[in-house]
Amino acid sequence: EYPKPQVITLPDIKGKSLKVVKIACGEKHTLLLDGHGNVFGWGDNSAGQLFQETGANQYVVKYPKLLKTVSKL
């Protein structure tokens, strides 16, 4: 069974208004590009899909997180 779609809130970045430009969905993770070139990710990170260190507490990112490793595209 798949989770139901839900509305998400992006983190505030220094008071900037965020406009979603693109969304890419993997099997269990999602990436989002905003109009300022910031990349956010959430979902399964078990193989490092979200460019975060993998570890027992890093497998699932429940809320959009700014991915500084790939920001400013």
Side-chain angles (χ1 to χ4, degrees):
E1 186 170 307
Y2 296 99
K4 294 180 181 179
Q6 57 185 314
V7 175
I8 60 165
T9 302
L10 295 175
D12 182 31
I13 299 185
K14 299 179 185 174
K16 292 182 180 177
S17 168
L18 299 180
K19 176 183 175 185
V20 174
V21 175
K22 291 188 179 186
I23 296 177
C25 300
E27 184 177 343
K28 296 181 180 179
H29 71 285
T30 303
L31 298 174
L32 178 148
L33 174 67
D34 77 7
H36 299 289
N38 297 304
V39 178
F40 296 85
W42 64 98
D44 185 352
N45 185 52
S46 59
Q49 301 94 312
L50 303 177
F51 306 96
Q52 307 294 308
E53 291 183 32
T54 56
N57 62 349
Q58 292 291 329
Y59 281 153
V60 177
V61 178
K62 294 183 179 184
Y63 302 100
K65 181 174 182 177
L66 178 63
L67 305 179
K68 295 179 182 179
T69 311
V70 292
S71 291
K72 300 297 178 196
L73 293 178

